[in-house]
Amino acid sequence: MNELALIRAIQNGDEQAFKQLVDRYQLLVRNTCLNFVHDKHDAEDLAQEVFIEVFRSASKFRGESKLSTWIYRITVNKSLNFQRDNKRRSFFQSIGDALFGSEKMLGVSTVSAEGQPEQDLENKERKEQIYRAIEELPERQKIAFRLSKLDDLSYQEIAEIMQLSLSSVESLIHRAKLNLQKKLYQCYKKGI
Amino acid sequence: MKHRAIKEKLMFYMEDSLLAKEKQEIAEHLSHCDECQQLLESLRKDLALLNFEKYTENDPYFYTRLKARMEVPAQPASRRLWQPALFGALLLLAISLGTVVGKQFSVEQGSDDGLTSELVPFDGLQEEPIEQFLLTFE
Ligand SMILES: [Zn+2]
């Protein structure tokens, strides 16, 4: 089934078509979600929300862009909303944690690699450091950078997803890299 | 190029996205600048970590979980809601306590001297902006 036929079938409530779409795009969505939120449980929740949104707004897909572009756009929007909610939530969480102790102590999973344990800790710290540095970038730089570096998308694809010109995307990513470099240099200086 | 200018280009040098001439200049600088060498090495290590974790296979149960979630009417994520709610309740409790204490305080003061009117009454009006703050936060 081609993209448009698939999405039309979903619009008509064809469950098999929806399953086909989920199977076709779940890697894309799950990986992008993970790139944005870094926590496997949250990313899983978010990926489900993305597909629910795809299902609900199937009729809005006009076939003007590739289906993957449209799904990316929904994924990015959902991820950003999630992060905004999360920031508000963590304000309350920190108060809750202060009053009742932290849930995180119980080993609520964060993304972590299995394997060589001695390298794990250092890598984990470095990874947190770089995620934090990315997190601190201005929003559009952050999105463009992630889609480019983590999702391996071309600048053209990113331009379509973000609905920007190619040159804006180039400039966003260039600035993102400069900023990231600067932030990382600051970390190295502090000896982190 | 000076050390400082080179430092700013290491990210792009690493990605091999510079012109041949710049690339050569930087390579030369690197051969005798320890600091730039170390920075480059650290950048390389850090950026390599970014693609460390990625799903490479479909999760066969993803669709099953998704369907299950779609069939359940939207449920509030309880863990996420109870904390703001509890916080709000505690805050209101604290305000009410403050109101009571404040009222007693102003009454005692008032019976002593004639300064009652200068004390800001600690009544319900004080609560309103805080309640609204909580509502917009939900
Ligand atoms: Zn140097």
Side-chain angles (χ1 to χ4, degrees), chain A:
Chain A
M1 227 188 286
N2 74 30
E3 293 185 340
L4 206 56
L6 191 66
I7 208 90
R8 291 294 163 258
I10 292 170
Q11 236 177 292
N12 294 328
D14 181 340
E15 214 173 284
Q16 269 311 306
F18 184 56
K19 184 173 187 306
Q20 224 184 88
L21 177 135
V22 173
D23 286 345
R24 214 183 273 181
Y25 293 101
Q26 66 151 292
L27 271 184
L28 176 159
V29 171
R30 287 165 65 223
N31 277 321
T32 305
C33 289
L34 194 56
N35 289 338
F36 272 83
V37 302
H38 310 313
D39 175 279
K40 276 185 176 162
H41 290 299
D42 287 345
E44 168 84 16
D45 264 8
L46 197 53
Q48 288 182 1
E49 281 173 30
V50 169
F51 283 110
I52 293 172
E53 181 68 32
V54 166
F55 184 77
R56 285 189 189 141
S57 44
S59 61
K60 289 185 197 150
F61 179 71
R62 304 249 173 263
E64 285 154 3
S65 59
K66 284 200 298 183
L67 184 55
S68 61
T69 304
W70 184 65
I71 293 178
Y72 262 120
R73 204 175 293 151
I74 293 176
T75 308
V76 169
N77 281 333
K78 283 265 169 206
S79 302
L80 292 178
N81 284 339
F82 179 88
Q83 285 183 314
R84 285 181 196 129
D85 289 352
N86 215 29
K87 261 184 204 142
R88 273 179 237 159
R89 215 153 45 219
S90 62
F91 166 75
F92 293 110
Q93 182 103 44
S94 58
I95 291 165
D97 285 352
L99 289 172
F100 307 107
S102 169
E103 234 171 283
K104 293 212 171 81
M105 303 303 280
L106 300 173
V108 175
S109 102
T110 50
V111 177
S112 88
E114 276 143 46
Q116 324 92 316
E118 69 278 3
Q119 268 220 313
D120 264 12
L121 192 67
E122 199 206 327
N123 280 350
K124 196 172 170 255
E125 277 165 18
R126 292 189 85 105
K127 216 183 301 175
E128 272 164 20
Q129 162 185 303
I130 188 165
Y131 281 151
R132 217 177 306 126
I134 295 173
E135 205 59 60
E136 285 167 11
L137 294 173
E139 188 159 277
R140 293 198 313 171
Q141 289 181 26
K142 188 161 57 182
I143 298 168
F145 179 83
R146 278 179 174 140
L147 292 175
S148 159
K149 268 282 167 203
L150 306 175
D151 286 276
D152 273 331
L153 295 183
S154 70
Y155 287 13
Q156 184 59 48
E157 285 172 291
I158 298 171
E160 281 164 29
I161 292 165
M162 295 181 74
Q163 296 175 302
L164 293 172
S165 70
L166 194 57
S167 59
S168 310
V169 170
E170 280 167 359
S171 141
L172 279 175
I173 294 177
H174 186 81
R175 279 181 285 149
K177 286 174 184 167
L178 278 178
N179 279 331
L180 190 61
Q181 180 178 256
K182 205 162 137 194
K183 282 174 199 297
L184 290 173
Y185 284 174
Q186 282 165 359
C187 293
Y188 304 154
K189 218 178 190 171
K190 285 185 218 148
I192 303 170

